[in-house]
Structure formats: C-alpha cells, structure tokens
C-alpha cells in the first residue's frame, strides 16, 4: 500500500476516534481532528475540511472559521482539488479512460499539483456513489456519470478560470 493511502487511512481512523471521543458537534473534537490532519499532511485540504465537517455534522463555514483562529493550521494552497474515483465499480463503467483524460488535460499525474500550483489531482478508492459513476469531485462538488469528453471539458474549464 502506498504512503498516501496509508496517510489517508491513518487520518480516517483518527477522525473516527475524535468523533467517538468528543461526540457529534464538538468543536474540541474538530480542533483535535484539524491538528491531526495538519500533522499527517502538513496542511488541511478542502477535501479534509469537508470530511471533518461531515464527521462532526457541522457546517464547513464553522471549520473554516476555526482554522482562521488556529495559526498552526495551514489550509491547502491549491485553488482546486480534483479527486477521481479509482474504485472497481467506476472502473467497470469506464473510469480508466476518464482518469487518463483528467491526467492528460491537466498534464500531471495523481498526487501532483499543476506547475502554477492551482490544481492538485488525487484519487479516492470509492465515494460510495457507484450507481452514478464514474465520479469526479472538484472542491467537494461531485460530477457524476463522467466520460472522457466530459472530463476533458471540466478540466479545461478549471484550467482556464
């Protein structure tokens, strides 16, 4: 298993433990999760902010506000976090072509950032939205039933903004 996947698993376990220890809606639990995320990834990405928000059932605006009051926490510096599903069910629906189109259009590989530092590309094994796949998530917004043409168009739109 690669280092990035290990880090994701460690973060997910830590997040679950914080929710179990502090409880839903706990801002202290959010602080602990943000600190742990910072330790693991050296920043708190938009995707991780969303995951913390969902885990504690708090609005993402609360998470962002808390980050502002925690000087040791650094938000991700990228403008766009593109996360492609790499799960088996999406693969059966043609996600391999979609993934290739995304990489080619952005001219980067997974776990890389574009030369201008604006776009980071990662994968996630499954979004649990298999019936709508192939799936791509950009800054926590889902794009479903993607094909290589739609994926290229979406990535070009992001690059041109």
């Amino acid at each position: 298993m690669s280092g990035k996947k290990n880090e994701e698993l460690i973060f997910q376990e830590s997040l679950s433990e914080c929710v179990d220890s502090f409880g839903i809606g706990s801002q202290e639990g959010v602080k602990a999760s943000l600190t742990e995320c910072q330790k693991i990834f050296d920043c708190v990405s938009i995707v991780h902010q969303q995951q913390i928000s969902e885990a504690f059932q708090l609005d993402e605006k609360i998470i962002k506000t808390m980050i502002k009051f925690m000087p040791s926490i650094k938000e991700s510096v990228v403008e766009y976090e593109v996360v492609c599903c790499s799960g088996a069910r999406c693969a059966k629906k043609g996600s391999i072509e979609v993934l290739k189109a995304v990489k080619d259009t952005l001219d980067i590989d997974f776990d890389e950032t574009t030369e201008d530092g604006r776009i980071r590309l990662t994968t996630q094994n499954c979004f649990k939205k298999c019936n709508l796949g192939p799936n791509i998530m950009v800054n926590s917004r889902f794009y479903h039933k993607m094909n290589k043409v739609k994926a290229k168009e979406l990535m070009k739109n992001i690059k041109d903004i």
Side-chain angles (χ1 to χ4, degrees):
M1 190 177 280
S2 76
K4 291 282 182 198
K5 286 187 179 171
N6 279 338
E7 290 171 348
E8 262 321 310
L9 289 173
I10 291 166
F11 172 69
Q12 293 302 324
E13 286 175 11
S14 168
L15 182 57
S16 288
E17 287 172 12
C18 284
V19 171
D20 290 345
S21 297
F22 293 95
I24 299 294
S26 168
Q27 290 189 8
E28 288 304 314
V30 169
K31 285 181 188 177
S33 296
L34 290 170
T35 302
E36 191 61 30
C37 188
Q38 176 78 29
K39 276 190 224 169
I40 296 168
F41 301 104
D42 295 324
C43 69
V44 179
S45 71
I46 294 166
V47 171
H48 291 124
Q49 289 174 42
Q50 180 194 25
Q51 290 172 347
I52 292 168
S53 166
E54 289 173 2
F56 285 97
Q57 297 178 14
L58 292 169
D59 191 296
E60 284 181 57
K61 291 175 187 167
I62 293 170
I63 309 304
K64 288 203 173 290
T65 301
M66 291 178 71
I67 290 171
K68 288 179 184 171
F69 288 100
M70 296 176 71
S72 64
I73 304 297
K74 295 179 202 135
E75 280 191 274
S76 175
V77 295
V78 297
E79 286 179 57
Y80 297 97
E81 293 205 34
V82 177
V83 185
C84 297
C85 182
S86 61
R89 289 187 181 136
C90 278
K92 287 180 184 174
K93 294 181 177 184
S95 70
I96 303 304
E97 282 188 354
V98 171
L99 299 175
K100 185 173 177 356
V102 169
K103 288 176 16 176
D104 290 349
T105 306
L106 295 177
D107 196 28
I108 56 174
D109 208 337
F110 296 112
D111 298 321
E112 290 183 356
T113 303
T114 54
E115 204 171 288
D116 62 6
R118 293 180 54 236
I119 306 167
R120 178 181 299 128
L121 178 60
T122 60
T123 61
Q124 184 168 316
N125 185 42
C126 187
F127 291 121
K128 307 286 188 247
K129 297 180 182 298
C130 305
N131 59 328
L132 299 171
N135 298 294
I136 296 176
M137 184 171 63
V138 179
N139 290 357
S140 303
R141 180 174 177 213
F142 281 102
Y143 296 86
H144 303 294
K145 298 189 184 285
M146 297 301 289
N147 59 41
K148 75 179 183 184
V149 173
K150 287 178 173 177
K152 279 184 180 186
E153 189 176 306
L154 177 61
M155 294 306 113
K156 285 180 183 175
N157 288 340
I158 291 170
K159 281 176 69 173
D160 293 341
I161 291 177

